[in-house]
Amino acid sequence: MRTLVVSTLALLLAAVGIAVAPQAYASDAFTVITLHFDAAHDSGPRCDVVGDLYVPHGVSPSNRAPAVLTTNGFGGSKDSQAPLARMYASRGYVVLAYSGLGFGGSSCRITFDSPIPDGAAASRLVSYLGGATGIAFRDAAHTKPAPRLDAVVHDGVDHRGTRRSDDPRVGMIGGSYGGHIQFAAASVDPRIDAIVPMVTWNDLSYSLSPNNTGQSVGVTTPTQGAVKINWSASLAAAGLMSGVQHASVEPQRLTGCPDFPAAVCSALVGSATSGTVDRSILDGFRRGSVASFLDRVTVPTLLVQGQKDTLFNIQEALATYRGLSAKGVPTAMIWFSGGHSGTPAAGDYSSTTPNPDTQYVTQRAVGWLDHYLKGSGPGTGPRFAYYRDWIDYRGIAAPAYATAGSVDVGSRAQYALSGATGLVPSATPPRPGTARLTTPPAGLPTTHDVPDALGLVSLPERDVAGTYAWWDTAPLRSALDVVGTPTLRLRVSAPLDVGAPLADQLVLFARIVDVGADGSSTTVGNLVAPVRISDPRVPMTITIPAFVHRFAPGHRLRLVVSGGSTNYRGGMRPIPVSIDAGADQTLGLPIV
């Protein structure tokens, strides 16, 4: 079991390029000191947060600098952020890199980056950066006060127009778990001036049990979809390992489920069998997610989301982007080449050796913070940029990026289901036909595709006969570039009692596949859209997670609807399904 946990955690860290040890510098232009912080808040237990403070040489009360606050991804620590902290400190920023609650020597259990207590703890660190006393100590027992920090530039007023004596000029940056904390912190602390959340979530209930139909706002749905069994298991393992590693900080974390609230741990473990998560747990995930408090985030936000990411897919960043933009918050977005499911391309981004001179995303992040914290630099860059893996370049990845003033690029092309296996442009009348499949019992997987999170070698992609339906375009005469969110309008027929319990409802999985001229097939981005159907009489719109992909000449684009998936737990009972062709059964693609 320990071997599984260790290897799983290593994969989680490597997936987003998180450093596992500080990078060595030949000559540091800053000093580093480890401090302990009293992160108590009014309504919760006392917490000790450990962090490293980086102060550039030459910074003083008479020569102040802006600050950067950063924290780790899930399973990491302040040490994970050392390369990033060193890079920003070398550029003249005072940097505070800290271990998030539940990780890396910081006490309290994991509470999934909620505004309270996680955001409140970050706010305490902002107060320290602003010169407040009684917060920082040289020991974990909080008996040796650290000197007052008097080195950070102060703002006249915060983002609500309030004048405060402890208001530093400060921005935040970090990825995954260290990305969402920025929303939580900004929602409770208007002193934060700019944020750069990377590869993170909008609604954690969608992240772990997505339903890609019936979405009310953003990615949020009233009914849960299908559980991501591999990601849920990996997160539970990483949390367990963190609890065991840091039990000396808080021994009670070894009771029950280490580091997690017991109810959350039980829900994650039980979901692998039942295919559903307890409603109260999902409601708690949603309440603690930015989807529920987006109206309280008002600071300039640069969203960076990965094109190789099946944990937090691009739909989550799109939901946050659209919500912030609608309120007039200065917002920009980058879809980069990496993510939780794959490493970034050369010259794009690295958190182990960050360099804005050679990496596009690092350059954009530095430019964003320089603009809003220093008032310097060339500006914030384009509002939207996306990476194209079919573009050759050397050095920095900038030539591989296309940019636009809106996230909605290109035009929509419609394809209709034709016959039993055809997919034709909307200008071509579809042929009649019916495709049939039967979902498997007990939510078993019926596809051989790449397993999420576990880093296992998969078999060639294929589906078990009788458990899926597919529709192909003709071989493409020219390249087809898809950038954005495909949508599938579909009506299915199935013998299903309306209002049946969740476990008895129909669960299907839609995905887009690139079929090569040799017949080999690859699910684009390994992205799957689960849908839970309580009433098959009602037509539905399925949102397939956004991607950037070129279908080469001679290839075919395939739509697959299956009854099972390697990475999800499907419906609990077998259900026969039929899908008729027709002009109202359509796949919409954003084409550039």
Side-chain angles (χ1 to χ4, degrees):
M1 177 63 177
R2 177 173 172 80
T3 300
L4 172 62
V5 172
V6 171
S7 61
T8 299
L9 178 57
L11 285 164
L12 283 168
L13 298 178
V16 289
I18 294 174
V20 295
Q23 180 184 0
Y25 279 65
S27 59
D28 291 338
F30 45 82
T31 58
V32 185
I33 182 173
T34 298
L35 297 171
H36 292 262
F37 300 89
D38 179 356
H41 59 90
D42 294 340
S43 59
R46 300 186 68 81
C47 288
D48 173 57
V49 170
V50 61
D52 289 334
L53 179 69
Y54 298 70
V55 180
H57 293 164
V59 171
S60 67
S62 60
N63 184 34
R64 295 170 180 257
V68 170
L69 186 63
T70 184
T71 187
N72 53 275
F74 201 88
S77 71
K78 63 181 179 60
D79 296 338
S80 306
Q81 303 305 101
L84 193 69
R86 288 173 176 265
M87 188 269 288
Y88 276 99
S90 70
R91 298 182 65 85
Y93 286 95
V94 175
V95 182
L96 178 54
Y98 73 99
S99 296
L101 273 59
F103 298 105
S106 291
S107 64
C108 289
R109 288 181 183 262
I110 295 167
T111 46
F112 298 98
D113 276 347
S114 297
I116 303 296
D118 302 83
S123 180
R124 294 275 288 174
L125 303 188
V126 170
S127 294
Y128 166 73
L129 291 170
T133 57
I135 297 171
F137 299 84
R138 294 184 179 276
D139 64 324
H142 299 172
T143 62
K144 301 175 182 178
R148 178 175 181 266
L149 182 64
D150 196 14
V152 178
V153 175
H154 280 210
D155 286 324
V157 295
D158 64 22
H159 284 267
R160 293 176 187 163
T162 302
R163 184 178 298 276
R164 293 183 53 166
S165 62
D166 59 353
D167 183 357
R169 181 78 51 79
V170 60
M172 294 186 72
I173 187 171
S176 194
Y177 204 77
H180 190 270
I181 183 59
Q182 299 172 56
F183 299 129
S187 75
V188 299
D189 196 331
R191 294 172 296 174
I192 296 170
D193 298 294
I195 58 176
V196 184
M198 305 175 67
V199 293
T200 196
W201 68 90
N202 171 267
D203 183 343
L204 195 57
S205 69
Y206 168 85
S207 308
L208 298 179
S209 185
N211 189 11
N212 286 66
T213 190
Q215 293 165 326
S216 52
V217 177
V219 295
T220 299
T221 57
T223 304
Q224 64 176 283
V227 172
K228 292 180 180 176
I229 51 176
N230 293 333
W231 275 122
S232 293
S234 296
L235 292 173
L240 182 150
M241 183 177 181
S242 179
V244 171
Q245 282 184 323
H246 304 294
S248 60
V249 177
E250 189 181 13
Q252 67 182 24
R253 284 155 73 171
L254 285 178
T255 61
C257 178
D259 229 21
F260 280 113
V264 172
C265 186
S266 299
L268 291 176
V269 173
S271 67
T273 301
S274 67
T276 60
V277 181
D278 184 88
R279 179 63 180 266
S280 65
I281 299 299
L282 286 181
D283 287 346
F285 283 160
R286 183 174 296 122
R287 284 193 302 271
S289 297
V290 67
S292 296
F293 55 81
L294 193 62
D295 60 327
R296 303 203 300 268
V297 179
T298 61
V299 299
T301 303
L302 173 61
L303 295 159
V304 182
Q305 206 76 354
Q307 295 179 25
K308 299 174 184 174
D309 206 318
T310 58
L311 177 58
F312 307 133
N313 62 47
I314 288 174
Q315 294 306 118
E316 303 228 39
L318 275 169
T320 304
Y321 176 91
R322 295 188 193 281
L324 292 175
S325 297
K327 297 190 306 168
V329 176
T331 311
M333 183 156 61
I334 301 170
W335 297 352
F336 84 119
S337 60
H340 288 86
S341 305
T343 55
D348 198 15
Y349 177 75
S350 171
S351 62
T352 60
T353 55
N355 187 337
D357 296 327
T358 60
Q359 298 157 11
Y360 179 82
V361 171
T362 306
Q363 183 182 90
R364 289 287 309 278
V366 166
W368 189 265
L369 293 180
D370 281 354
H371 177 80
Y372 286 107
L373 303 183
K374 292 183 176 180
S376 64
T380 58
R383 192 168 189 192
F384 177 47
Y386 58 92
Y387 180 86
R388 299 166 296 175
D389 63 5
W390 59 88
I391 302 296
D392 292 327
Y393 64 91
R394 293 184 179 181
I396 193 168
Y401 275 87
T403 62
S406 167
V407 295
D408 299 307
V409 297
S411 58
R412 303 291 297 189
Q414 297 290 331
Y415 293 79
L417 307 190
S418 179
T421 60
L423 195 62
V424 299
S426 57
T428 303
R431 295 182 294 105
T434 300
R436 293 181 172 83
L437 64 100
T438 300
T439 63
L444 296 174
T446 59
T447 60
H448 292 162
D449 47 13
V450 179
D452 290 339
L454 302 180
L456 304 176
V457 176
S458 65
L459 298 171
E461 289 196 15
R462 65 182 181 87
D463 292 77
V464 175
T467 65
Y468 73 106
W470 79 99
W471 299 266
D472 282 359
T473 65
L476 299 171
R477 295 182 179 180
S478 59
L480 180 69
D481 296 343
V482 178
V483 178
T485 306
T487 53
L488 176 61
R489 294 178 57 201
L490 200 66
R491 184 199 296 267
V492 304
S493 297
L496 182 66
D497 294 332
V498 177
L502 282 176
D504 293 332
Q505 291 177 0
L506 175 63
V507 177
L508 296 175
F509 302 90
R511 65 187 196 270
I512 303 294
V513 176
D514 187 333
V515 181
D518 60 356
S520 60
S521 60
T522 304
T523 298
V524 176
N526 207 36
L527 295 166
V528 176
V531 294
R532 184 176 293 275
I533 303 168
S534 59
D535 187 352
R537 301 171 302 178
V538 179
M540 58 185 166
T541 299
I542 300 171
T543 301
I544 296 175
F547 58 77
V548 178
H549 185 74
R550 166 167 284 185
F551 294 86
H555 286 217
R556 288 171 289 152
L557 183 150
R558 174 175 293 171
L559 168 66
V560 176
V561 175
S562 63
S565 170
T566 300
N567 296 303
Y568 296 83
R569 180 66 71 207
M572 290 296 104
R573 66 184 183 90
I575 299 175
V577 177
S578 60
I579 304 174
D580 292 330
D584 59 345
Q585 303 274 69
T586 59
L587 173 67
L589 298 173
I591 305 297
V592 298

